[in-house]
RNA sequence: GGCCCCAUCGUUUAGUGGUUAGGACACAGCCCUUUCAAGGCUGCAGUACGGGUUCGAGUCCCGUUGGGGUCACCA
């Protein structure tokens, strides 16, 4: 009953809209009230795609919203792509984002092993079971014959790749004879040839294909190893996965998966296919195209919380207008039925905005802690780090913005006197000269050197000149930084860089103005 | 090419037959102000197209167009 209730809560309205509600609820009913178990099954390639991370998040949330179990399974059977330390990247990424798995290679569990390469021995027996049930068969066709077949198909303009089911009805004696003779073989699934197969996806609803479209797919390769599709189904079943969360590139092969479950007599999982994360309208986001991975984004100064939060909303949306969530809030709110159907373009500009907000919401202390290394990478002088960081916080969107914003502290940049011209304050080089000439002695006389004291020293000068504060303080900022955008106003900059450097730069600026005007 | 899937502002999304089509980011402007920001307010901007069904369609149906995915002894 509980399961049924959460199904309603998840989907309620969506059911009707998709016209699949009956099927889904029947499916959920027949889950026998089992605890929700989801898995994230990445291959260890050495980095984490943002799309992968999002899939992991969705799988994690789907389990945790129901107090279920989140499982990590490493799919390391991709021959070419094994990278040292790659598994650690997966562990690290998941961990630092708080997505703690309940079962996995390192923590174990009752359904191990959780590394696919260690499971290779178990699949053939399952395939043989299918052969015995008449759901699969031995195929002795050679690669040469298949190639020839494909060539003929090409020549005839037909669909290439469809196996002609040559070995589908070999008689028992012949099979035994060829097996005994040690002929190499594969095991193929016996697909239905007529009718249709449908399955229900939680996101896409009912998906139906004609069985005539389905090939007698290979389950066990001639080296005795399972194909990915077969291993996946068996693993998911053996591990008790109730909800399969994966990319929608699997959508069109899901009927085949379902037929496999059916052939075994197993209960299929709830399918949750997620739309792809795109780089632009035409291409998927991928490391191969040089697109940023999660690691790259972190290295560029994006906060992991901001990345995760942004990813949550890329293809999923909650009911209200709130966009900022902690992981715990995500878990409470999560409803997989609210995942979108259409592809979403990864927008770095919006991520930057999220990042800026996350930075802005930090305490000054927290921010100073993470910003300090970026500051110190370019600034080697003694400065008021706390004041600098307090001013930097609302002014930087990503951490890697910091060096260019503070580089002027270490070394005055080349700058044009035109910077002193400002429409808003109705000032120019001459005005700047006037202001700075008055400001310099006032500052020089100052004993105490902090933001308030500095402003206190400037205020009488401003009053005396009868101008707006900015008229005098804007030029001060330019004189001290050579830039129009600085971490704080003129008095902030002075306080940050200290009296000695302030006076030095002020005098340099005065000398230059006098010389060039 | 066959098959599957998708389609609301530039981007991300809300929308479950009756809404002035809402939010966020971006952009523009204004306010505040000790530069630049941050913050506050306002504005700009969208239902791909064509047919139906209906008193009424962003919402349902069909088609067109556009896009994505998939068709291996890869995973």
């Amino acid at each position: 009953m509980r399961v049924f209730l959460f199904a309603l809560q998840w989907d309620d309205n969506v059911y009707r809209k998709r016209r699949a509600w009956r099927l889904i609820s029947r499916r959920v009913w027949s889950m026998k009230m089992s605890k929700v178990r989801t898995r994230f099954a990445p291959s260890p390639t050495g980095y984490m795609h943002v799309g992968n991370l999002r899939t992991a998040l969705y799988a994690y949330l789907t389990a945790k919203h129901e107090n279920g179990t989140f499982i990590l399974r490493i799919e390391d059977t991709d021959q070419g792509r094994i990278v040292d330390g790659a598994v650690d990247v997966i562990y690290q990424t998941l961990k630092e984002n708080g997505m703690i798995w309940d079962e996995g290679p390192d923590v174990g569990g009752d359904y191990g092993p959780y590394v696919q390469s260690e499971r290779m021995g178990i699949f053939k027996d399952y395939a043989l079971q299918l052969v015995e049930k008449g759901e699969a068969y031995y195929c002795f066709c050679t690669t040469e014959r298949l190639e020839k077949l494909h060539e003929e198909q090409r020549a005839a303009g037909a669909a290439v790749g469809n196996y002609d089911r040559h070995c589908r009805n070999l008689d028992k004696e012949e099979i035994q004879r060829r097996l005994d003779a040690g002929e190499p073989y594969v095991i193929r699934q016996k697909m239905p040839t007529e009718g249709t197969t449908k399955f229900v996806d939680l996101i896409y609803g009912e998906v139906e294909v004609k069985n005539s479209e389905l090939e007698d797919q290979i389950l066990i390769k001639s080296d005795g190893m399972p194909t990915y599709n077969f291993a996946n189904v068996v693993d998911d079943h053996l591990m008790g996965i109730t909800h399969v969360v994966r990319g929608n590139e699997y959508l069109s092969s899901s009927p085949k998966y379902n037929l496999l479950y059916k052939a075994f007599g197993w209960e299929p999982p709830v399918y949750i296919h997620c739309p792809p994360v795109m780089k632009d309208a035409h291409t998927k986001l991928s490391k191969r195209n040089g697109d940023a991975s999660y690691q790259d984004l972190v290295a560029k100064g994006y906060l992991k919380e901001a990345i995760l939060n942004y990813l949550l909303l890329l293809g999923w949306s909650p009911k209200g207008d709130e966009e900022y969530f902690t992981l715990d809030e995500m878990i409470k709110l999560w409803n997989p039925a609210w995942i979108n159907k259409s592809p979403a373009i990864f927008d770095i500009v919006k991520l930057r905005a999220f990042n800026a907000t996350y930075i802005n919401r930090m305490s000054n202390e927290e921010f100073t802690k993470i910003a300090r290394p970026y500051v110190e990478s370019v600034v080697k002088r003694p400065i008021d780090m706390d004041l600098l960081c307090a001013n930097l916080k609302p002014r930087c969107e990503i951490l890697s913005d910091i060096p260019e914003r503070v580089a002027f502290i270490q070394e005055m940049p080349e700058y044009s006197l035109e910077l002193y011209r400002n429409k808003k304050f109705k000032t120019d080089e001459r005005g700047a000269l006037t202001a700075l000439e008055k400001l310099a002695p006032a500052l020089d006389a100052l004993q105490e050197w902090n933001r308030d004291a500095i402003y206190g020293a400037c205020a009488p000068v401003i009053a005396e000149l009868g101008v707006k504060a900015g008229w005098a303080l804007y030029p001060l900022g330019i004189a001290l930084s050579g830039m129009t955008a600085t971490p704080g106003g003129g008095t902030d900059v002075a306080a940050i860089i200290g009296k000695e450097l302030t006076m030095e730069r002020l005098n340099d600026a005065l000398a230059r103005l006098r010389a060039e005007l």
Side-chain angles (χ1 to χ4, degrees), chain A residues 387-458:
Chain A
L387 179 59
L388 172 64
C389 288
N391 279 320
L392 232 28
K393 200 177 75 165
R395 264 164 265 253
C396 74
E397 295 186 305
I398 61 177
L399 268 12
S400 56
D401 285 346
I402 293 175
E404 64 189 61
R405 285 183 171 278
V406 300
F408 77 89
I409 296 172
Q410 185 63 24
E411 194 171 356
M412 261 315 261
E414 299 269 334
Y415 68 100
S416 162
L417 291 186
E418 284 179 24
L419 294 191
Y420 286 115
R421 291 184 200 169
N422 185 292
K423 268 190 193 161
K424 188 172 151 195
F425 300 111
K426 300 192 177 72
T427 185
D428 56 15
E429 296 93 319
R430 296 212 167 268
L433 178 58
T434 309
L436 296 181
E437 275 180 329
K438 296 272 188 191
L439 250 21
L443 290 176
D444 199 26
L446 206 55
Q447 298 298 318
E448 202 187 352
W449 196 261
N450 60 55
R451 191 181 179 278
D452 290 340
I454 293 167
Y455 188 72
C458 295

Side-chain angles (χ1 to χ4, degrees), chain A residues 100-395:
Chain A
I100 306 304
W101 52 101
D102 304 294
E103 298 171 23
D106 55 340
V107 295
D110 297 336
Y111 302 81
Y114 294 90
V115 175
Q116 200 168 52
S117 59
E118 293 168 19
R119 303 173 65 83
M120 286 297 110
I122 65 181
F123 300 104
K124 194 162 175 187
D125 285 345
Y126 282 96
L128 260 18
Q129 255 183 52
L130 253 25
V131 172
E132 253 168 57
K133 293 174 87 170
E135 299 282 358
Y137 60 92
Y138 291 98
C139 169
F140 299 94
C141 290
T142 60
T143 315
E144 291 72 41
R145 196 186 97 77
L146 293 176
E147 270 168 18
K148 201 176 151 208
L149 179 70
H150 293 167
E151 245 167 67
E152 285 166 8
Q153 286 169 336
R154 229 185 309 271
V160 176
N162 268 331
Y163 176 59
D164 63 357
R165 294 172 168 154
H166 181 260
C167 299
R168 184 160 159 137
N169 294 307
L170 262 32
D171 62 67
K172 273 197 167 170
E173 289 86 58
E174 180 178 355
I175 293 169
Q176 198 51 53
R177 181 171 50 74
R178 295 174 79 165
L179 248 26
D180 291 343
E183 250 187 78
Y185 63 88
V186 301
I187 295 177
R188 288 184 185 267
Q189 185 183 2
K190 208 178 264 184
M191 289 296 191
T193 53
E194 285 172 357
T196 59
T197 296
K198 60 178 120 179
F199 77 100
V200 179
D201 180 86
L202 188 61
I203 312 306
Y204 290 93
E206 200 171 277
V207 178
E208 183 172 10
V209 294
K210 293 200 225 16
N211 288 333
S212 56
E213 299 288 332
L214 272 20
E215 185 180 23
D216 282 359
Q217 62 176 339
I218 292 174
L219 270 20
I220 298 291
K221 299 184 278 183
S222 56
D223 63 1
M225 295 293 120
T227 54
Y228 170 82
N229 289 333
F230 185 59
N232 236 267
V233 167
V234 174
D235 281 346
D236 282 343
H237 173 258
L238 259 25
M239 291 185 178
I241 304 302
T242 59
H243 297 64
V244 168
V245 182
R246 52 156 61 139
N248 86 353
E249 65 267 25
Y250 295 100
L251 195 61
S252 42
S253 36
S254 291
K256 294 195 283 189
Y257 282 75
N258 236 29
L259 249 14
L260 226 29
Y261 278 96
K262 202 172 154 195
F264 277 115
W266 295 340
E267 188 64 39
V270 175
Y271 291 103
I272 301 176
H273 286 97
C274 311
V277 176
M278 308 292 285
K279 174 206 191 70
D280 54 49
H282 306 288
T283 41
K284 261 204 212 185
L285 197 71
S286 96
K287 185 70 183 172
R288 282 219 323 251
N289 295 339
D291 302 324
S293 66
Y294 168 77
Q295 280 74 22
D296 293 332
L297 291 172
V298 170
K300 277 184 184 168
Y302 290 92
L303 268 30
K304 52 191 192 308
E305 294 84 355
I307 299 172
L308 199 70
N309 198 150
Y310 173 66
L311 252 22
L312 171 76
L313 267 11
L314 197 61
W316 180 87
S317 64
K319 286 299 164 198
D321 282 341
E322 182 57 45
E323 290 200 306
Y324 291 87
F325 305 108
T326 62
L327 188 61
D328 282 343
E329 289 167 338
M330 293 179 195
I331 291 171
K332 281 199 192 81
L333 258 179
W334 180 249
N335 180 336
W338 298 340
I339 295 173
N340 245 35
K341 288 181 191 170
S342 33
I345 298 171
F346 183 86
D347 183 8
I348 195 77
V349 175
K350 178 116 183 187
L351 208 210
R352 282 186 78 99
F354 266 93
N355 207 63
T357 302
Y358 268 89
I359 284 177
N360 217 3
R361 288 184 178 188
M362 293 173 104
S363 68
N364 285 354
E365 292 70 32
E366 271 180 296
F367 178 72
T368 302
K369 208 169 141 194
I370 61 168
R372 181 185 291 272
Y374 288 87
V375 173
E376 289 176 344
S377 71
V378 292
V379 177
K380 314 294 181 192
R381 303 172 179 279
I383 54 167
D384 186 338
M385 183 67 78
D386 290 337
L387 179 59
L388 172 64
C389 288
N391 279 320
L392 232 28
K393 200 177 75 165
R395 264 164 265 253

